[in-house]
Amino acid sequence: MIIDFHTYVGASMLGQRSTEEELLENMERNQVDISVVCPVKTIDPFFEKENQYMAMLQKKYAGKLVGFCRIDPNLGKDSERILENSIRVLGLKGLVLHPWEETFAINDKKVFPFMEICQEYHVPVLVETGYPWVSHCFQVASLAEKYPELTFIMSHGGQFDSSGYALTDVDYVMNKYANLLIETSGDYSDEGIENIPTRLGYHRVLFGSHFPWLNTELEIFRVQRASLPREAKECIFYRNALKILKI
Amino acid sequence: MRIIDMHAHVDVCEPLNWYDTAEKLIRLMDEAGIEKAVVSAYLNLPGPDMSCAGRLWKSIEPYQERFMMFVRMDPWFGEEASDFLEECCGKYPVRGVKLHPAHYTLHPFGELTVRLCKKAGELGLPVLFHCGDEMMCLPLQIGELAAKCPETTVILAHMGGYAHNRDAIEAAKKYNNIYIDTSEVPLVKEIKWFVEELGADRIFFGTDAPCCDPLVELKKVQLAGLTEKQLECVLYKNAVRVMGLE
């Protein structure tokens, strides 16, 4: 079984686009059973329509797609209302935050009210991580420290760093905060996908493809190739996601 | 098809917890069918550990037909760095220079780096730049260096990083002594974009192994939708031509 914890559907105003049919076809081709689907950035700064679209997809493809909502914390109370509505009324299962595209620091106090809401409804928070100015893993960790009851998933192994230097940072913060997890898309092989589960437990890593930006076949292969026991790979590919998504 | 890796590493660097021996790399190369790899260390020379060029050579000497040694350098040392490079070339079969500007904190287009890269060009050595999304490693900055050293082959690693691919293409279009390597970044369709924009003869296959898995890096290039001819150029023909291999 494979659960992909990080996909997008829609036409992003920043250029990338994918349709629900393309996502489903891609899942079929790569034998992905369930995908977490996130809204792309559009000209609607409140993400209301996109969140409704995620809820529609979740209903239409029940058991195959799990919808996350997205908000812009810069928009304060309006976004708080939208987040609460997305979880309580639309039934979306988590929150994705994109500090780079919405331009806010993940550990800014303006983010805190949204974490209170996620905590109240017990939904996980997926953070587009690895942008040193707004969502370096240390910044995500600073937020995770304040909300120990919340589960934070850092995308891309917690880093977007071709030097590899941020791997040490990811290892450090993962060791310190048990409510931090990483998602595997684009992660390094040995220091990321192999080291974290071996050192800190199989439950700390989730498979994600970052469709349509990255290639799902390659991202699956990245985990298959890791020198890890079968049990660890099962945790990464689906067991951890089942638990977090309460499936 | 032959496969030559233009970007890999051999070094043991305890402060970074990186334990990348020649044997570990050879195992991964064999698995992926890689015939030969460019290797450099993780520390700069001249620097706090002056033995690292000797250590690298000692590690790879038993498998010397599998490796091409690049010396990782620090241009801060000016004349001393140039002299050291020449001295290294006398002692070891040095095939190129590796520079990581974020490690030693110098602008790539500044006088010190230009001087060292010109020296490398005089010695017939290509210069592989760590190139990515960090200050002092940006493709357009390194492009200015390439303009000042037209006789030196300059390789931009990592396709310019995660967010600067467009800039890597722009720099390489402007200066024909620039080449690109595919290592580390998880980008697939972008490889085809680079080939379409620059031609397949400007792109090298690279892995950044052993931290990155060579089989994953190879699959990435194979998934990019290149023609057989383009794939041959990327996987080995360009390396054979530029490095003067058989």
PDB file of all heavy atoms in Angstrom, chain A residues 93-125:
ATOM      1  N   LYS A  93      -9.078  17.356   6.334  1.00  0.00           N
ATOM      2  CA  LYS A  93      -8.393  16.561   7.369  1.00  0.00           C
ATOM      3  C   LYS A  93      -7.070  17.138   7.878  1.00  0.00           C
ATOM      4  O   LYS A  93      -6.409  16.530   8.719  1.00  0.00           O
ATOM      5  CB  LYS A  93      -8.129  15.142   6.848  1.00  0.00           C
ATOM      6  CG  LYS A  93      -9.385  14.430   6.338  1.00  0.00           C
ATOM      7  CD  LYS A  93     -10.396  14.199   7.437  1.00  0.00           C
ATOM      8  CE  LYS A  93     -11.608  13.430   6.923  1.00  0.00           C
ATOM      9  NZ  LYS A  93     -12.754  13.599   7.824  1.00  0.00           N
ATOM     10  N   GLY A  94      -6.658  18.244   7.315  1.00  0.00           N
ATOM     11  CA  GLY A  94      -5.403  18.831   7.760  1.00  0.00           C
ATOM     12  C   GLY A  94      -5.228  20.200   7.152  1.00  0.00           C
ATOM     13  O   GLY A  94      -6.032  20.641   6.321  1.00  0.00           O
ATOM     14  N   LEU A  95      -4.154  20.855   7.571  1.00  0.00           N
ATOM     15  CA  LEU A  95      -3.848  22.199   7.066  1.00  0.00           C
ATOM     16  C   LEU A  95      -2.490  22.161   6.385  1.00  0.00           C
ATOM     17  O   LEU A  95      -1.536  21.610   6.929  1.00  0.00           O
ATOM     18  CB  LEU A  95      -3.809  23.198   8.238  1.00  0.00           C
ATOM     19  CG  LEU A  95      -3.272  24.600   7.930  1.00  0.00           C
ATOM     20  CD1 LEU A  95      -4.204  25.363   6.977  1.00  0.00           C
ATOM     21  CD2 LEU A  95      -3.086  25.400   9.221  1.00  0.00           C
ATOM     22  N   VAL A  96      -2.419  22.753   5.188  1.00  0.00           N
ATOM     23  CA  VAL A  96      -1.110  22.938   4.570  1.00  0.00           C
ATOM     24  C   VAL A  96      -0.790  24.419   4.608  1.00  0.00           C
ATOM     25  O   VAL A  96      -1.634  25.261   4.295  1.00  0.00           O
ATOM     26  CB  VAL A  96      -1.059  22.375   3.120  1.00  0.00           C
ATOM     27  CG1 VAL A  96      -2.062  23.048   2.202  1.00  0.00           C
ATOM     28  CG2 VAL A  96       0.347  22.501   2.535  1.00  0.00           C
ATOM     29  N   LEU A  97       0.429  24.719   5.043  1.00  0.00           N
ATOM     30  CA  LEU A  97       0.890  26.112   5.060  1.00  0.00           C
ATOM     31  C   LEU A  97       2.069  26.246   4.110  1.00  0.00           C
ATOM     32  O   LEU A  97       2.965  25.396   4.098  1.00  0.00           O
ATOM     33  CB  LEU A  97       1.310  26.516   6.476  1.00  0.00           C
ATOM     34  CG  LEU A  97       0.173  26.665   7.501  1.00  0.00           C
ATOM     35  CD1 LEU A  97       0.732  26.925   8.897  1.00  0.00           C
ATOM     36  CD2 LEU A  97      -0.794  27.791   7.103  1.00  0.00           C
ATOM     37  N   HIS A  98       2.032  27.317   3.312  1.00  0.00           N
ATOM     38  CA  HIS A  98       3.115  27.546   2.346  1.00  0.00           C
ATOM     39  C   HIS A  98       3.722  28.923   2.610  1.00  0.00           C
ATOM     40  O   HIS A  98       3.368  29.907   1.960  1.00  0.00           O
ATOM     41  CB  HIS A  98       2.557  27.450   0.923  1.00  0.00           C
ATOM     42  CG  HIS A  98       3.589  27.062  -0.088  1.00  0.00           C
ATOM     43  ND1 HIS A  98       4.862  27.608  -0.089  1.00  0.00           N
ATOM     44  CD2 HIS A  98       3.549  26.182  -1.123  1.00  0.00           C
ATOM     45  CE1 HIS A  98       5.553  27.074  -1.088  1.00  0.00           C
ATOM     46  NE2 HIS A  98       4.793  26.205  -1.733  1.00  0.00           N
ATOM     47  N   PRO A  99       4.623  28.992   3.588  1.00  0.00           N
ATOM     48  CA  PRO A  99       5.187  30.289   3.971  1.00  0.00           C
ATOM     49  C   PRO A  99       5.880  31.026   2.827  1.00  0.00           C
ATOM     50  O   PRO A  99       5.933  32.256   2.815  1.00  0.00           O
ATOM     51  CB  PRO A  99       6.195  29.928   5.063  1.00  0.00           C
ATOM     52  CG  PRO A  99       5.711  28.622   5.596  1.00  0.00           C
ATOM     53  CD  PRO A  99       5.149  27.907   4.413  1.00  0.00           C
ATOM     54  N   TRP A 100       6.408  30.281   1.872  1.00  0.00           N
ATOM     55  CA  TRP A 100       7.123  30.909   0.764  1.00  0.00           C
ATOM     56  C   TRP A 100       6.136  31.593  -0.183  1.00  0.00           C
ATOM     57  O   TRP A 100       6.315  32.758  -0.551  1.00  0.00           O
ATOM     58  CB  TRP A 100       7.934  29.839   0.034  1.00  0.00           C
ATOM     59  CG  TRP A 100       8.705  30.335  -1.150  1.00  0.00           C
ATOM     60  CD1 TRP A 100       8.473  30.049  -2.464  1.00  0.00           C
ATOM     61  CD2 TRP A 100       9.862  31.181  -1.127  1.00  0.00           C
ATOM     62  NE1 TRP A 100       9.405  30.665  -3.255  1.00  0.00           N
ATOM     63  CE2 TRP A 100      10.272  31.370  -2.462  1.00  0.00           C
ATOM     64  CE3 TRP A 100      10.592  31.809  -0.111  1.00  0.00           C
ATOM     65  CZ2 TRP A 100      11.375  32.147  -2.815  1.00  0.00           C
ATOM     66  CZ3 TRP A 100      11.688  32.595  -0.456  1.00  0.00           C
ATOM     67  CH2 TRP A 100      12.066  32.752  -1.789  1.00  0.00           C
ATOM     68  N   GLU A 101       5.076  30.888  -0.539  1.00  0.00           N
ATOM     69  CA  GLU A 101       4.132  31.453  -1.507  1.00  0.00           C
ATOM     70  C   GLU A 101       3.230  32.522  -0.868  1.00  0.00           C
ATOM     71  O   GLU A 101       2.791  33.440  -1.556  1.00  0.00           O
ATOM     72  CB  GLU A 101       3.290  30.339  -2.147  1.00  0.00           C
ATOM     73  CG  GLU A 101       4.132  29.450  -3.058  1.00  0.00           C
ATOM     74  CD  GLU A 101       3.311  28.501  -3.917  1.00  0.00           C
ATOM     75  OE1 GLU A 101       2.085  28.410  -3.742  1.00  0.00           O
ATOM     76  OE2 GLU A 101       3.922  27.835  -4.776  1.00  0.00           O
ATOM     77  N   GLU A 102       2.926  32.372   0.438  1.00  0.00           N
ATOM     78  CA  GLU A 102       2.060  33.369   1.078  1.00  0.00           C
ATOM     79  C   GLU A 102       2.869  34.453   1.801  1.00  0.00           C
ATOM     80  O   GLU A 102       2.300  35.416   2.327  1.00  0.00           O
ATOM     81  CB  GLU A 102       1.121  32.681   2.085  1.00  0.00           C
ATOM     82  CG  GLU A 102      -0.218  32.266   1.476  1.00  0.00           C
ATOM     83  CD  GLU A 102      -0.101  31.031   0.597  1.00  0.00           C
ATOM     84  OE1 GLU A 102      -0.055  29.917   1.126  1.00  0.00           O
ATOM     85  OE2 GLU A 102      -0.045  31.207  -0.638  1.00  0.00           O
ATOM     86  N   THR A 103       4.172  34.280   1.862  1.00  0.00           N
ATOM     87  CA  THR A 103       5.085  35.270   2.452  1.00  0.00           C
ATOM     88  C   THR A 103       4.794  35.572   3.936  1.00  0.00           C
ATOM     89  O   THR A 103       4.274  36.627   4.296  1.00  0.00           O
ATOM     90  CB  THR A 103       5.088  36.604   1.653  1.00  0.00           C
ATOM     91  OG1 THR A 103       5.011  36.331   0.263  1.00  0.00           O
ATOM     92  CG2 THR A 103       6.346  37.388   1.952  1.00  0.00           C
ATOM     93  N   PHE A 104       5.114  34.612   4.756  1.00  0.00           N
ATOM     94  CA  PHE A 104       5.089  34.826   6.206  1.00  0.00           C
ATOM     95  C   PHE A 104       6.096  33.864   6.823  1.00  0.00           C
ATOM     96  O   PHE A 104       6.401  32.830   6.233  1.00  0.00           O
ATOM     97  CB  PHE A 104       3.678  34.564   6.774  1.00  0.00           C
ATOM     98  CG  PHE A 104       3.210  33.141   6.620  1.00  0.00           C
ATOM     99  CD1 PHE A 104       3.383  32.205   7.641  1.00  0.00           C
ATOM    100  CD2 PHE A 104       2.604  32.716   5.449  1.00  0.00           C
ATOM    101  CE1 PHE A 104       2.964  30.894   7.496  1.00  0.00           C
ATOM    102  CE2 PHE A 104       2.182  31.396   5.297  1.00  0.00           C
ATOM    103  CZ  PHE A 104       2.363  30.484   6.319  1.00  0.00           C
ATOM    104  N   ALA A 105       6.623  34.226   7.961  1.00  0.00           N
ATOM    105  CA  ALA A 105       7.529  33.313   8.662  1.00  0.00           C
ATOM    106  C   ALA A 105       6.672  32.324   9.450  1.00  0.00           C
ATOM    107  O   ALA A 105       5.733  32.727  10.139  1.00  0.00           O
ATOM    108  CB  ALA A 105       8.434  34.087   9.604  1.00  0.00           C
ATOM    109  N   ILE A 106       7.013  31.064   9.345  1.00  0.00           N
ATOM    110  CA  ILE A 106       6.174  30.022   9.950  1.00  0.00           C
ATOM    111  C   ILE A 106       6.085  30.165  11.468  1.00  0.00           C
ATOM    112  O   ILE A 106       5.095  29.745  12.082  1.00  0.00           O
ATOM    113  CB  ILE A 106       6.681  28.605   9.541  1.00  0.00           C
ATOM    114  CG1 ILE A 106       5.698  27.511   9.941  1.00  0.00           C
ATOM    115  CG2 ILE A 106       8.063  28.313  10.131  1.00  0.00           C
ATOM    116  CD1 ILE A 106       4.404  27.520   9.201  1.00  0.00           C
ATOM    117  N   ASN A 107       7.106  30.791  12.092  1.00  0.00           N
ATOM    118  CA  ASN A 107       7.072  30.936  13.553  1.00  0.00           C
ATOM    119  C   ASN A 107       6.640  32.341  13.982  1.00  0.00           C
ATOM    120  O   ASN A 107       6.784  32.709  15.145  1.00  0.00           O
ATOM    121  CB  ASN A 107       8.435  30.573  14.155  1.00  0.00           C
ATOM    122  CG  ASN A 107       9.579  31.339  13.534  1.00  0.00           C
ATOM    123  OD1 ASN A 107       9.464  31.855  12.419  1.00  0.00           O
ATOM    124  ND2 ASN A 107      10.689  31.426  14.234  1.00  0.00           N
ATOM    125  N   ASP A 108       6.083  33.102  13.055  1.00  0.00           N
ATOM    126  CA  ASP A 108       5.551  34.424  13.392  1.00  0.00           C
ATOM    127  C   ASP A 108       4.316  34.255  14.269  1.00  0.00           C
ATOM    128  O   ASP A 108       3.532  33.318  14.076  1.00  0.00           O
ATOM    129  CB  ASP A 108       5.179  35.154  12.088  1.00  0.00           C
ATOM    130  CG  ASP A 108       4.868  36.620  12.313  1.00  0.00           C
ATOM    131  OD1 ASP A 108       3.923  36.914  13.071  1.00  0.00           O
ATOM    132  OD2 ASP A 108       5.553  37.469  11.712  1.00  0.00           O
ATOM    133  N   LYS A 109       4.108  35.196  15.172  1.00  0.00           N
ATOM    134  CA  LYS A 109       2.971  35.057  16.100  1.00  0.00           C
ATOM    135  C   LYS A 109       1.632  35.088  15.371  1.00  0.00           C
ATOM    136  O   LYS A 109       0.625  34.602  15.890  1.00  0.00           O
ATOM    137  CB  LYS A 109       3.038  36.104  17.211  1.00  0.00           C
ATOM    138  CG  LYS A 109       2.900  37.526  16.749  1.00  0.00           C
ATOM    139  CD  LYS A 109       2.985  38.464  17.943  1.00  0.00           C
ATOM    140  CE  LYS A 109       2.846  39.887  17.410  1.00  0.00           C
ATOM    141  NZ  LYS A 109       3.257  40.894  18.347  1.00  0.00           N
ATOM    142  N   LYS A 110       1.617  35.626  14.156  1.00  0.00           N
ATOM    143  CA  LYS A 110       0.349  35.652  13.409  1.00  0.00           C
ATOM    144  C   LYS A 110      -0.115  34.241  13.027  1.00  0.00           C
ATOM    145  O   LYS A 110      -1.278  34.022  12.718  1.00  0.00           O
ATOM    146  CB  LYS A 110       0.470  36.540  12.167  1.00  0.00           C
ATOM    147  CG  LYS A 110       1.365  36.006  11.075  1.00  0.00           C
ATOM    148  CD  LYS A 110       1.359  36.865   9.809  1.00  0.00           C
ATOM    149  CE  LYS A 110       1.997  38.206  10.006  1.00  0.00           C
ATOM    150  NZ  LYS A 110       2.497  38.806   8.744  1.00  0.00           N
ATOM    151  N   VAL A 111       0.801  33.278  13.117  1.00  0.00           N
ATOM    152  CA  VAL A 111       0.451  31.885  12.790  1.00  0.00           C
ATOM    153  C   VAL A 111      -0.236  31.201  13.997  1.00  0.00           C
ATOM    154  O   VAL A 111      -1.013  30.258  13.822  1.00  0.00           O
ATOM    155  CB  VAL A 111       1.722  31.095  12.353  1.00  0.00           C
ATOM    156  CG1 VAL A 111       1.427  29.631  12.077  1.00  0.00           C
ATOM    157  CG2 VAL A 111       2.358  31.745  11.125  1.00  0.00           C
ATOM    158  N   PHE A 112       0.039  31.698  15.195  1.00  0.00           N
ATOM    159  CA  PHE A 112      -0.412  31.000  16.410  1.00  0.00           C
ATOM    160  C   PHE A 112      -1.921  30.730  16.472  1.00  0.00           C
ATOM    161  O   PHE A 112      -2.329  29.610  16.827  1.00  0.00           O
ATOM    162  CB  PHE A 112       0.040  31.747  17.679  1.00  0.00           C
ATOM    163  CG  PHE A 112       1.538  31.909  17.811  1.00  0.00           C
ATOM    164  CD1 PHE A 112       2.075  32.765  18.773  1.00  0.00           C
ATOM    165  CD2 PHE A 112       2.421  31.213  16.991  1.00  0.00           C
ATOM    166  CE1 PHE A 112       3.455  32.926  18.900  1.00  0.00           C
ATOM    167  CE2 PHE A 112       3.802  31.374  17.107  1.00  0.00           C
ATOM    168  CZ  PHE A 112       4.312  32.230  18.058  1.00  0.00           C
ATOM    169  N   PRO A 113      -2.787  31.720  16.144  1.00  0.00           N
ATOM    170  CA  PRO A 113      -4.231  31.432  16.244  1.00  0.00           C
ATOM    171  C   PRO A 113      -4.669  30.240  15.391  1.00  0.00           C
ATOM    172  O   PRO A 113      -5.582  29.490  15.768  1.00  0.00           O
ATOM    173  CB  PRO A 113      -4.888  32.724  15.739  1.00  0.00           C
ATOM    174  CG  PRO A 113      -3.848  33.774  15.871  1.00  0.00           C
ATOM    175  CD  PRO A 113      -2.525  33.097  15.712  1.00  0.00           C
ATOM    176  N   PHE A 114      -3.993  30.048  14.284  1.00  0.00           N
ATOM    177  CA  PHE A 114      -4.358  28.926  13.399  1.00  0.00           C
ATOM    178  C   PHE A 114      -3.939  27.593  14.010  1.00  0.00           C
ATOM    179  O   PHE A 114      -4.600  26.576  13.827  1.00  0.00           O
ATOM    180  CB  PHE A 114      -3.720  29.132  12.008  1.00  0.00           C
ATOM    181  CG  PHE A 114      -4.131  30.434  11.391  1.00  0.00           C
ATOM    182  CD1 PHE A 114      -3.335  31.571  11.517  1.00  0.00           C
ATOM    183  CD2 PHE A 114      -5.344  30.547  10.740  1.00  0.00           C
ATOM    184  CE1 PHE A 114      -3.748  32.782  11.000  1.00  0.00           C
ATOM    185  CE2 PHE A 114      -5.763  31.757  10.222  1.00  0.00           C
ATOM    186  CZ  PHE A 114      -4.966  32.877  10.350  1.00  0.00           C
ATOM    187  N   MET A 115      -2.850  27.656  14.748  1.00  0.00           N
ATOM    188  CA  MET A 115      -2.404  26.432  15.421  1.00  0.00           C
ATOM    189  C   MET A 115      -3.368  26.059  16.552  1.00  0.00           C
ATOM    190  O   MET A 115      -3.611  24.888  16.820  1.00  0.00           O
ATOM    191  CB  MET A 115      -0.977  26.614  15.970  1.00  0.00           C
ATOM    192  CG  MET A 115       0.085  26.896  14.918  1.00  0.00           C
ATOM    193  SD  MET A 115       0.193  25.618  13.636  1.00  0.00           S
ATOM    194  CE  MET A 115      -0.781  26.330  12.318  1.00  0.00           C
ATOM    195  N   GLU A 116      -3.910  27.105  17.194  1.00  0.00           N
ATOM    196  CA  GLU A 116      -4.911  26.844  18.246  1.00  0.00           C
ATOM    197  C   GLU A 116      -6.104  26.095  17.647  1.00  0.00           C
ATOM    198  O   GLU A 116      -6.625  25.149  18.246  1.00  0.00           O
ATOM    199  CB  GLU A 116      -5.416  28.170  18.863  1.00  0.00           C
ATOM    200  CG  GLU A 116      -4.342  29.070  19.441  1.00  0.00           C
ATOM    201  CD  GLU A 116      -3.781  28.572  20.758  1.00  0.00           C
ATOM    202  OE1 GLU A 116      -4.384  27.668  21.349  1.00  0.00           O
ATOM    203  OE2 GLU A 116      -2.718  29.078  21.164  1.00  0.00           O
ATOM    204  N   ILE A 117      -6.514  26.525  16.467  1.00  0.00           N
ATOM    205  CA  ILE A 117      -7.665  25.885  15.805  1.00  0.00           C
ATOM    206  C   ILE A 117      -7.316  24.435  15.433  1.00  0.00           C
ATOM    207  O   ILE A 117      -8.094  23.511  15.679  1.00  0.00           O
ATOM    208  CB  ILE A 117      -8.108  26.699  14.562  1.00  0.00           C
ATOM    209  CG1 ILE A 117      -8.619  28.077  15.001  1.00  0.00           C
ATOM    210  CG2 ILE A 117      -9.179  25.952  13.758  1.00  0.00           C
ATOM    211  CD1 ILE A 117      -8.836  29.067  13.867  1.00  0.00           C
ATOM    212  N   CYS A 118      -6.144  24.249  14.862  1.00  0.00           N
ATOM    213  CA  CYS A 118      -5.734  22.879  14.475  1.00  0.00           C
ATOM    214  C   CYS A 118      -5.643  21.981  15.714  1.00  0.00           C
ATOM    215  O   CYS A 118      -5.997  20.805  15.661  1.00  0.00           O
ATOM    216  CB  CYS A 118      -4.389  22.910  13.748  1.00  0.00           C
ATOM    217  SG  CYS A 118      -4.509  23.625  12.113  1.00  0.00           S
ATOM    218  N   GLN A 119      -5.165  22.566  16.791  1.00  0.00           N
ATOM    219  CA  GLN A 119      -5.047  21.799  18.035  1.00  0.00           C
ATOM    220  C   GLN A 119      -6.428  21.389  18.545  1.00  0.00           C
ATOM    221  O   GLN A 119      -6.639  20.252  18.958  1.00  0.00           O
ATOM    222  CB  GLN A 119      -4.321  22.644  19.079  1.00  0.00           C
ATOM    223  CG  GLN A 119      -3.778  21.853  20.234  1.00  0.00           C
ATOM    224  CD  GLN A 119      -2.619  22.573  20.902  1.00  0.00           C
ATOM    225  OE1 GLN A 119      -1.464  22.247  20.691  1.00  0.00           O
ATOM    226  NE2 GLN A 119      -2.948  23.571  21.702  1.00  0.00           N
ATOM    227  N   GLU A 120      -7.368  22.349  18.465  1.00  0.00           N
ATOM    228  CA  GLU A 120      -8.726  22.083  18.939  1.00  0.00           C
ATOM    229  C   GLU A 120      -9.363  20.926  18.161  1.00  0.00           C
ATOM    230  O   GLU A 120     -10.043  20.079  18.720  1.00  0.00           O
ATOM    231  CB  GLU A 120      -9.555  23.360  18.779  1.00  0.00           C
ATOM    232  CG  GLU A 120     -10.931  23.258  19.404  1.00  0.00           C
ATOM    233  CD  GLU A 120     -11.781  24.495  19.092  1.00  0.00           C
ATOM    234  OE1 GLU A 120     -11.213  25.570  18.823  1.00  0.00           O
ATOM    235  OE2 GLU A 120     -13.022  24.340  19.096  1.00  0.00           O
ATOM    236  N   TYR A 121      -9.094  20.907  16.855  1.00  0.00           N
ATOM    237  CA  TYR A 121      -9.732  19.874  16.012  1.00  0.00           C
ATOM    238  C   TYR A 121      -8.822  18.665  15.756  1.00  0.00           C
ATOM    239  O   TYR A 121      -9.172  17.775  14.985  1.00  0.00           O
ATOM    240  CB  TYR A 121     -10.183  20.489  14.679  1.00  0.00           C
ATOM    241  CG  TYR A 121     -11.361  21.425  14.848  1.00  0.00           C
ATOM    242  CD1 TYR A 121     -11.164  22.792  14.931  1.00  0.00           C
ATOM    243  CD2 TYR A 121     -12.655  20.930  14.960  1.00  0.00           C
ATOM    244  CE1 TYR A 121     -12.236  23.663  15.110  1.00  0.00           C
ATOM    245  CE2 TYR A 121     -13.734  21.787  15.142  1.00  0.00           C
ATOM    246  CZ  TYR A 121     -13.523  23.143  15.218  1.00  0.00           C
ATOM    247  OH  TYR A 121     -14.589  23.981  15.405  1.00  0.00           O
ATOM    248  N   HIS A 122      -7.640  18.691  16.352  1.00  0.00           N
ATOM    249  CA  HIS A 122      -6.693  17.564  16.231  1.00  0.00           C
ATOM    250  C   HIS A 122      -6.362  17.237  14.772  1.00  0.00           C
ATOM    251  O   HIS A 122      -6.412  16.083  14.360  1.00  0.00           O
ATOM    252  CB  HIS A 122      -7.257  16.306  16.923  1.00  0.00           C
ATOM    253  CG  HIS A 122      -7.670  16.543  18.335  1.00  0.00           C
ATOM    254  ND1 HIS A 122      -6.767  16.732  19.343  1.00  0.00           N
ATOM    255  CD2 HIS A 122      -8.899  16.643  18.903  1.00  0.00           C
ATOM    256  CE1 HIS A 122      -7.404  16.934  20.481  1.00  0.00           C
ATOM    257  NE2 HIS A 122      -8.705  16.894  20.235  1.00  0.00           N
ATOM    258  N   VAL A 123      -6.028  18.259  14.000  1.00  0.00           N
ATOM    259  CA  VAL A 123      -5.628  17.984  12.598  1.00  0.00           C
ATOM    260  C   VAL A 123      -4.136  18.290  12.418  1.00  0.00           C
ATOM    261  O   VAL A 123      -3.602  19.202  13.060  1.00  0.00           O
ATOM    262  CB  VAL A 123      -6.466  18.791  11.572  1.00  0.00           C
ATOM    263  CG1 VAL A 123      -7.930  18.396  11.630  1.00  0.00           C
ATOM    264  CG2 VAL A 123      -6.296  20.281  11.743  1.00  0.00           C
ATOM    265  N   PRO A 124      -3.464  17.524  11.581  1.00  0.00           N
ATOM    266  CA  PRO A 124      -2.028  17.747  11.367  1.00  0.00           C
ATOM    267  C   PRO A 124      -1.754  18.971  10.484  1.00  0.00           C
ATOM    268  O   PRO A 124      -2.624  19.406   9.734  1.00  0.00           O
ATOM    269  CB  PRO A 124      -1.593  16.470  10.643  1.00  0.00           C
ATOM    270  CG  PRO A 124      -2.818  15.987   9.952  1.00  0.00           C
ATOM    271  CD  PRO A 124      -3.984  16.394  10.801  1.00  0.00           C
ATOM    272  N   VAL A 125      -0.529  19.470  10.611  1.00  0.00           N
ATOM    273  CA  VAL A 125      -0.122  20.646   9.830  1.00  0.00           C
ATOM    274  C   VAL A 125       1.067  20.273   8.942  1.00  0.00           C
ATOM    275  O   VAL A 125       2.121  19.884   9.438  1.00  0.00           O
ATOM    276  CB  VAL A 125       0.271  21.823  10.767  1.00  0.00           C
ATOM    277  CG1 VAL A 125       0.623  23.061   9.944  1.00  0.00           C
ATOM    278  CG2 VAL A 125      -0.844  22.123  11.758  1.00  0.00           C
TER     279      VAL A 125
END
